[in-house]
Amino acid sequence: METSVPPPLIQALKRQKYHFVGRHSAVKRCRWLYETLIHDRPCYKQKFYGIKTHQCIQMTPALFYCTQQCLFCWRAQSSDLKIKWDEMKLPILDNPEEIVDGSIKAQLRILSGYKGNLDTNKQKFKEALTPRHVAISLAGEPTLYKHIGELIQAYHKRGFTTFLVSNGTMPSVLAKLSEEPTQLYISMCAPNEKKFNYICRPQIPKAWKNLKETLDLIPSFKCPTVIRITSVHNLNMENIKDYAKLIDKANPTYIEPKAYMHVGFSRLRLGYESMPSHNEIREFAKQIARETSYNIIDEAQESRVVLLSRLEKTIRFD
Ligand code: SF4
Ligand code: SF4
């Protein structure tokens, strides 16, 4: 991999089973791929929105790069491993078609590991060889990749649905997307600026102002939109009235409070006890519902996530 990132970091990520694609993208097996192929347990997004877990690629076009250093993030951040690099500077940009091709190839490599496994669901495996959905999330801020709109377009041209997850600190990029994703997620993991600076540790000036600008932009999207609140025990599950004000401003189709998971590099920053239980997430969601016009419409205990909406039923993509 040709990149300006220090080799020890690349080695550390390879050990964590990241499959590098070009200079700045990567694919990683989602644990739910294993669960659905072996135990017939799909992920909560299949349950909520109908996208097929076994046909989903989990990828990022900005593996080492982000405008924030959230305490709860599983990605490697500069200085986590006493290795430093410029997290704001992507190298020479790969073109979207190359990234799409590379991500599909990486997914097929990942899938090859299931071929000989007697417990693999044969029908699902056959379908999995034709991926149909991409979660553009995994790690890093995807809007730092300048051609993100074209990347979405390139996936759509191949018949994929796309879920884009952004931290909302680059509103100018989101405002000018050449193509909308199938569904847009904006992470809003703090109720006010003080908490935001403490939890999300922005690496650019005016990040909170930018996030609020993005919240104002949300109603202009035609696709379904989601406010994701990665919820950390004793850290950001309070100040409900402040959350309600931000939610009203954004008017998203859905709100997803979801528990922080003690995995990846976040283990260097937070303790195991920072993971809220599903009951705590449900209680947090109930408090949000009380302060807003949103209702709880679904939940997935195994992922510790609750879904709120004003719709009675979700918009599905199956
Ligand atoms: S939608 Fe998300 S959780 Fe579900 S399989 Fe894809 S990456 Fe995994
Ligand atoms: S915005 Fe996302 S990728 Fe960036 S540090 Fe936070 S959780 Fe990680």
Side-chain angles (χ1 to χ4, degrees):
M1 185 185 212
E2 192 191 313
T3 164
S4 52
V5 171
L9 175 65
I10 294 180
Q11 294 316 323
L13 292 180
K14 279 190 176 159
R15 279 196 297 277
Q16 289 200 1
K17 306 257 175 22
Y18 282 82
H19 293 243
F20 297 112
V21 174
R23 297 176 183 89
H24 49 79
S25 306
V27 171
K28 192 170 188 280
R29 188 199 74 172
C30 170
R31 76 167 261 245
W32 290 103
L33 178 69
Y34 168 84
E35 292 294 337
T36 197
L37 286 176
I38 305 295
H39 301 303
D40 207 17
R41 290 176 70 219
C43 78
Y44 75 96
K45 286 187 190 143
Q46 178 165 330
K47 181 176 187 240
F48 291 177
Y49 310 116
I51 55 123
K52 300 276 188 294
T53 304
H54 60 287
Q55 290 179 295
C56 173
I57 300 178
Q58 180 181 228
M59 69 83 66
T60 172
L63 178 59
F64 310 106
Y65 309 97
C66 191
T67 52
Q68 297 181 178
Q69 291 189 335
C70 304
L71 287 172
F72 54 77
C73 180
W74 67 24
R75 83 183 174 91
Q77 299 173 355
S78 180
S79 81
D80 267 347
L81 301 165
K82 299 195 170 54
I83 304 169
K84 286 200 183 294
W85 71 96
D86 185 348
E87 288 184 72
M88 292 294 297
K89 201 163 170 236
L90 264 76
I92 304 164
L93 299 183
D94 294 325
N95 81 49
E97 292 292 341
E98 284 169 359
I99 298 176
V100 172
D101 282 338
S103 67
I104 295 172
K105 273 189 200 144
Q107 183 75 355
L108 295 182
R109 269 201 307 278
I110 290 168
L111 283 164
S112 65
Y114 293 92
K115 198 174 175 197
N117 188 331
L118 296 177
D119 295 326
T120 301
N121 178 313
K122 300 281 173 301
Q123 179 60 24
K124 277 192 179 175
F125 179 76
K126 209 171 132 201
E127 290 169 8
L129 295 174
T130 311
R132 281 273 167 257
H133 177 76
V134 63
I136 307 176
S137 52
L138 181 57
E141 173 47 38
T143 58
L144 280 174
Y145 172 57
K146 269 198 234 150
H147 307 308
I148 184 67
E150 291 80 0
L151 181 66
I152 291 168
Q153 204 164 18
Y155 276 116
H156 288 176
K157 267 203 267 163
R158 314 254 187 127
F160 277 69
T161 44
T162 55
F163 281 11
L164 176 68
V165 185
S166 167
N167 64 21
T169 56
M170 309 279 284
S172 55
V173 178
L174 289 169
K176 284 193 233 124
L177 275 184
S178 56
E179 180 142 334
E180 289 191 6
T182 309
Q183 184 156 300
L184 174 68
Y185 277 75
I186 299 296
S187 300
M188 192 187 76
C189 303
N192 54 48
E193 184 167 15
K194 195 172 166 210
K195 286 248 167 179
F196 174 76
N197 287 337
Y198 180 73
I199 298 165
C200 300
R201 305 190 297 175
Q203 303 298 298
I204 54 168
K206 298 186 188 156
W208 176 251
K209 185 173 161 280
N210 289 358
L211 172 59
K212 293 218 302 192
E213 237 177 82
T214 295
L215 298 182
D216 285 335
L217 269 180
I218 287 183
S220 68
F221 278 82
K222 292 188 194 69
C223 66
T225 50
V226 189
I227 293 273
R228 154 66 61 74
I229 308 173
T230 302
S231 311
V232 188
H233 182 75
N234 269 345
L235 203 59
N236 63 352
M237 298 172 70
E238 53 207 13
N239 304 91
I240 309 296
K241 283 192 171 28
D242 287 346
Y243 274 118
K245 271 189 219 146
L246 296 169
I247 289 164
D248 279 340
K249 190 176 165 65
N251 194 24
T253 320
Y254 311 110
I255 312 163
E256 275 186 16
K258 184 175 187 306
Y260 153 70
M261 288 291 155
H262 191 60
V263 294
F265 290 91
S266 77
R267 289 173 298 180
L268 301 174
R269 301 175 223 115
L270 292 172
Y272 186 80
E273 69 291 345
S274 295
M275 269 196 301
S277 66
H278 184 65
N279 279 343
E280 284 175 90
I281 295 292
R282 197 190 279 137
E283 191 44 47
F284 182 43
K286 276 188 197 162
Q287 291 180 35
I288 293 173
R290 273 200 287 273
E291 294 295 332
T292 62
S293 51
Y294 288 75
N295 302 309
I296 293 176
I297 61 165
D298 210 343
E299 63 183 317
Q301 186 156 4
E302 65 285 6
S303 292
R304 303 186 194 183
V305 61
V306 173
L307 180 64
L308 298 103
S309 183
R310 294 198 191 97
L311 303 174
E312 277 180 24
K313 282 185 180 165
T314 54
I315 300 158
R316 294 182 67 86
F317 303 101
D318 43 6

